[in-house]
Amino acid sequence: MGFICFRHCDHGIAAPSEPVLRDFKNIENRDAVLEWSARTPRVDDTGAPVTRWDGVTTVRHQVTGEEVPDPEARVQVYDYAKPKATTWPKATYIVGNPPFIGAKYLRDDLGDGYVEALWSAYPKMPQSADLVMFWWDKAALAARGFNAKTGAGTRRFGLITTNSLRQTFNRRVVEMHLSDTKKPLSLLFAVQDHPWVDSNIGDANVRIGMTVGAAGNRTGRLLTIDTEKVEKNETDGRPVTFYQQAGKVFSSLQIGADVASSKKLMANDALSSRGVQLIGSGFQVSKGLAIKLGLGAVVGLEKHIREYRNGRDIAALPRGLMVIDLYGLSESEVKLQFPDVFQYLVDAIKPERDQNNRKSYRENWWIFGEPRRDIRPAMAKLDRFIVTTITAKHRFFSFLDSVVLPDDALQIIALDDASYLATLSSKTHKTWASSNASSIGMYKGDVRYLKTTCFDPFPFPDLTDPQKETLRALGEELDAHRKRQQAAHPKLTLTNMYNVLEKLRAGEDIEGKDREIYDQGLIGILRDLHDQIDAAVAEAYGWPQDLSDEEILMRLVDLNKERATEEATGHIRWLRPEYQNPTGVQVEKGKTADMDLGVIAKIEKAPWPSGLPDQISAVREALVDMGEASPEQIARRFTRARTTAVQPLLESLAALGQADKLEDGTFAA
């Protein structure tokens, strides 16, 4: 898998004799990141081969007619003995385009055994990092070993990677090398986001990043696309122009404010999560099918068949879909209370789940793969909450009624006060989110809003009562204005409204279809509302209204550090104190790491399973729901669970590649 091509400049300066392509022993065709002593078929306790679905072959279901995994299409799982990191030959320069495989696809593409061996060989690599980061890590280590006095070693490296390099777990790999106090690495050149056009792929729906690294503390150049033109024939490429910055390039692939150094604030804790991840499209049903399954006739079913929204429903037009949400019910309870629903899911969901590699998905097939247990208590007593599409060109926030269940294309923020909606909708927060977001997706400008980088560290302004009332009124008016215009014009989308708003701010002529959207969406009023919000938020921070984006980021980074210092002394500016800290207990100095205890105490605890396999499954599900957690926090999710029992289970999950052990002793799914 993959290859390394190293060229040494030690063959003299004379032109080579014919044939030119002789074997100079400087090209190797082998696995670039992993070596092993033997590869053997994996067997179970009875000696039978361990196999998995091949991930490709399907058959037509005899009832639904849908394509489902073929239970007979199995591939062998292999074990790799004595795995270790590949030793690369010495090279003056390393240049490459490593394979692009995202972390969540590693097992499907490479096999369980290979991935487990890879993680064993690279214990410091976050197990949520993409495959390309193994190349990046090895190249960075080689460059950091350069001896400037003797000239020995790798002078620099340059790699083409996915543009997800700035995402949280990939960024940690970069930061690990840049922040080393003894032998730091510097980025001499970087491009965050660039189109990749390949006629063999047949489209241009790939975005890449580029980085050049060398040893030492040095400044670099950051190139950001200014304009990008899409040609009629993609094979002709995409002409782009750049604007260039010079300075220290951080792991976020930015120059200026070191936003990547910002810390998670406990004030924002336990209020944000992605929506549910179904792991089975059959959970989605039309209104007609929902009625056929008993909605409106079967008592209690209205709690379990709910309206459903994904990112496109918010940004474009709602599809009118509903979703079957059986979280909290056992398999036997579903069969007894809702037999029609049970039989439907047996046909629509179970065949696919039976072939899933994850045990918890197979065994709990009637429940969403990721039901987001942790955020549900935060939403339980709210009539509405804030959402934003995770991947979007325009960053806007909206209220969603609590009867609606959001999916994992939406970021949930469990706040119902419109003053927070206004703050999140301001230029201040959008600048912060854009700086902390990662660019990904089919189109330039599509960025991902992630709680760990965009919401958790964001220092909200500490509002006076008059400031809160002003922002609350503006937030309500903003949300009502957009919904009112969309209700009056059913084909009007938020994306189109903000496309025209962007053109309006840029001074472009508004004509044709854009003029129709301008009139339907009353975009002039929308612009004025955002202008008022921007001014009110700047005033709430006590800042001038005309700050540049860089000045805003500098101030927010400083404020984050100030708030983190406050929280270390026990002073926390809770966003929702009645939920986050219901007892009102003052935090002891230095105890902020445990500040989510009040929230966790509100969550209904599950019983601690008696058997080891069930305990492992329960711990992993809890970790997936929480995102990141300590053994103590996991233990508090269950009755009679001890930290000493949870710790080794988390260690085992990390060893198996199903969790990531972080430097502070916590774990991440």
Side-chain angles (χ1 to χ4, degrees):
M1 180 198 66
F3 67 89
I4 316 171
C5 179
F6 297 88
R7 177 162 186 168
H8 296 274
C9 300
D10 56 3
H11 298 292
I13 59 175
S17 59
E18 298 292 342
V20 174
L21 296 179
R22 292 189 297 162
D23 187 3
F24 287 114
K25 308 297 183 184
N26 63 345
I27 295 179
E28 302 180 20
N29 183 8
R30 58 188 173 98
D31 193 303
V33 291
L34 186 65
E35 296 178 349
W36 59 88
S37 61
R39 190 183 81 152
T40 58
R42 180 178 295 182
V43 296
D44 61 20
D45 294 339
T46 67
V50 175
T51 62
R52 63 179 178 89
W53 177 48
D54 66 5
V56 176
T57 311
T58 61
V59 295
R60 190 174 296 277
H61 192 279
Q62 64 185 106
V63 176
T64 67
E66 299 292 332
E67 293 294 323
V68 297
D70 183 354
E72 303 299 322
R74 312 293 297 179
V75 293
Q76 176 68 51
V77 176
Y78 290 91
D79 287 316
Y80 294 75
K82 298 180 181 179
K84 63 178 183 179
T86 296
T87 300
W88 284 2
K90 295 179 180 179
T92 307
Y93 299 96
I94 299 174
V95 180
N97 179 13
F100 295 4
I101 303 178
K104 65 180 180 180
Y105 301 114
L106 290 181
R107 289 182 178 272
D108 290 339
D109 288 6
L110 304 177
D112 292 342
Y114 183 91
V115 174
E116 291 160 11
L118 189 64
W119 285 333
S120 174
Y122 294 85
K124 293 184 179 181
M125 180 67 64
Q127 292 172 5
S128 294
D130 296 340
L131 183 64
V132 70
M133 299 312 298
F134 290 86
W135 272 259
W136 207 99
D137 180 63
K138 292 180 73 66
L141 284 171
R144 286 171 55 197
F146 176 70
N147 189 321
K149 293 182 179 179
T150 64
T154 301
R155 291 181 176 272
R156 63 178 63 178
F157 71 89
L159 295 178
I160 294 175
T161 68
T162 60
N163 66 348
S164 62
L165 191 71
R166 296 196 299 153
Q167 289 189 19
T168 303
F169 288 103
N170 292 336
R171 185 191 298 180
R172 286 177 181 167
V173 179
V174 179
E175 179 63 25
M176 177 174 59
H177 294 286
L178 299 188
S179 62
D180 188 273
T181 56
K182 294 182 178 179
K183 290 187 175 181
L185 181 82
S186 291
L187 295 177
L188 307 185
F189 174 87
V191 178
Q192 298 175 354
D193 179 71
H194 195 284
W196 180 266
V197 179
D198 187 342
S199 59
N200 293 321
I201 297 177
D203 57 41
N205 297 339
V206 176
R207 311 290 299 189
I208 63 166
M210 293 178 259
T211 46
V212 174
N217 272 313
R218 303 161 66 178
T219 59
R221 291 184 298 135
L222 176 67
L223 270 63
T224 305
I225 289 181
D226 188 23
T227 64
E228 178 177 342
K229 182 179 180 182
V230 179
E231 299 289 355
K232 291 183 179 180
N233 186 351
E234 283 289 357
T235 58
D236 293 335
R238 285 195 178 188
V240 298
T241 62
F242 299 94
Y243 67 86
Q244 180 175 298
Q245 296 171 277
K248 181 69 175 178
V249 183
F250 297 109
S251 61
S252 57
L253 300 192
Q254 291 180 312
I255 286 176
D258 187 8
V259 294
S261 67
S262 299
K263 306 297 183 184
K264 173 182 177 180
L265 297 177
M266 294 307 301
N268 303 7
D269 189 46
L271 295 178
S272 184
S273 169
R274 296 180 71 147
V276 299
Q277 187 175 5
L278 304 185
I279 312 297
S281 60
F283 286 112
Q284 301 177 62
V285 295
S286 65
K287 184 70 175 292
L289 179 54
I291 294 173
K292 183 178 179 181
L293 292 175
L295 182 63
V298 178
V299 176
L301 190 55
E302 69 280 358
K303 297 178 181 179
H304 300 287
I305 298 185
R306 307 171 56 182
E307 291 186 50
Y308 187 61
R309 296 287 189 276
N310 67 6
R312 183 169 295 180
D313 293 326
I314 300 298
L317 300 173
R319 298 164 297 162
L321 285 178
M322 305 190 81
V323 69
I324 300 172
D325 178 17
L326 299 172
Y327 174 76
L329 298 180
S330 67
E331 182 177 357
S332 60
E333 287 173 331
V334 176
K335 184 188 295 186
L336 180 64
Q337 297 178 35
F338 313 116
D340 288 349
V341 173
F342 183 84
Q343 177 169 290
Y344 166 77
L345 292 180
V346 166
D347 293 332
I349 295 295
K350 197 170 187 297
E352 180 179 348
R353 283 290 192 88
D354 282 345
Q355 305 305 321
N356 198 286
N357 291 332
R358 188 171 297 178
K359 183 180 179 182
S360 63
Y361 290 177
R362 295 194 304 271
E363 294 183 347
N364 301 298
W365 58 268
W366 68 98
I367 297 172
F368 302 150
E370 308 299 345
R372 308 304 183 201
R373 175 189 299 175
D374 226 37
I375 195 64
R376 287 182 184 245
M379 301 164 63
K381 295 184 179 181
L382 298 180
D383 293 328
R384 63 182 183 180
F385 52 87
I386 299 170
V387 295
T388 187
T389 51
I390 288 182
T391 302
K393 177 182 178 183
H394 303 295
R395 182 56 52 204
F396 44 77
F397 297 81
S398 307
F399 278 125
L400 203 59
D401 289 340
S402 59
V403 297
V404 180
L405 191 67
D407 90 339
D408 70 336
L410 292 173
Q411 190 71 37
I412 301 166
I413 299 171
L415 295 168
D416 62 352
D417 191 319
S419 66
Y420 292 121
L421 178 75
T423 302
L424 292 169
S425 301
S426 69
K427 175 186 176 182
T428 301
H429 182 70
K430 290 180 182 179
T431 301
W432 172 268
S434 176
S435 177
N436 279 281
S438 57
S439 181
I440 193 169
M442 295 170 56
Y443 307 105
K444 175 183 179 291
D446 281 1
V447 295
R448 292 170 62 83
Y449 186 96
L450 303 177
K451 69 176 291 293
T452 53
T453 56
C454 298
F455 181 79
D456 288 347
F458 179 69
F460 281 81
D462 193 11
L463 303 176
T464 64
D465 288 342
Q467 289 170 342
K468 178 168 286 190
E469 286 302 319
T470 297
L471 283 171
R472 183 178 290 149
L474 288 170
E476 294 285 9
E477 189 175 356
L478 174 66
D479 195 59
H481 172 81
R482 296 179 306 199
K483 289 175 178 174
R484 180 179 61 248
Q485 297 312 118
Q486 286 188 286
H489 306 280
K491 293 186 179 181
L492 182 65
T493 71
L494 286 176
T495 296
N496 287 339
M497 291 172 70
Y498 279 89
N499 279 338
V500 173
L501 177 59
E502 186 176 83
K503 291 180 179 180
L504 192 65
R505 291 193 184 283
E508 298 181 24
D509 292 336
I510 307 300
E511 53 192 10
K513 180 66 175 177
D514 289 342
R515 178 55 192 267
E516 180 181 352
I517 294 169
Y518 178 86
D519 292 336
Q520 291 180 349
L522 299 180
I523 307 302
I525 295 177
L526 181 64
R527 178 177 64 175
D528 182 61
L529 282 170
H530 276 290
D531 288 346
Q532 291 183 62
I533 287 172
D534 292 344
V537 169
E539 180 183 346
Y541 280 107
W543 300 343
Q545 296 182 22
D546 57 352
L547 293 177
S548 68
D549 289 356
E550 187 61 31
E551 289 171 327
I552 290 173
L553 291 176
M554 290 287 192
R555 290 176 183 241
L556 287 173
V557 169
D558 289 343
L559 185 56
N560 171 273
K561 293 178 180 178
E562 179 183 318
R563 295 283 177 83
T565 301
E566 281 184 356
E567 292 189 348
T569 68
H571 177 49
I572 300 175
R573 302 168 188 263
W574 302 106
L575 298 184
R576 195 176 153 194
E578 74 284 356
Y579 173 71
Q580 295 170 293
N581 187 27
T583 62
V585 175
Q586 178 68 29
V587 185
E588 295 180 28
K589 183 177 181 180
K591 294 293 184 180
T592 54
D594 295 326
M595 276 317 303
D596 55 342
L597 300 187
V599 178
I600 292 178
K602 293 168 68 72
I603 299 175
E604 183 179 351
K605 293 186 177 183
W608 181 241
S610 57
L612 183 60
D614 292 334
Q615 290 175 358
I616 294 177
S617 178
V619 168
R620 192 191 185 288
E621 183 179 350
L623 184 61
V624 169
D625 280 342
M626 299 175 75
E628 293 183 11
S630 67
E632 294 85 356
Q633 292 166 348
I634 293 288
R636 294 188 184 100
R637 296 286 296 269
F638 303 93
T639 56
R640 296 185 297 279
R642 297 176 178 269
T643 301
T644 52
V646 172
Q647 176 78 37
L649 299 182
L650 288 169
E651 298 283 359
S652 297
L653 289 172
L656 292 171
Q658 297 184 23
D660 181 24
K661 187 173 183 179
L662 309 181
E663 294 180 0
D664 60 1
T666 61
F667 292 79

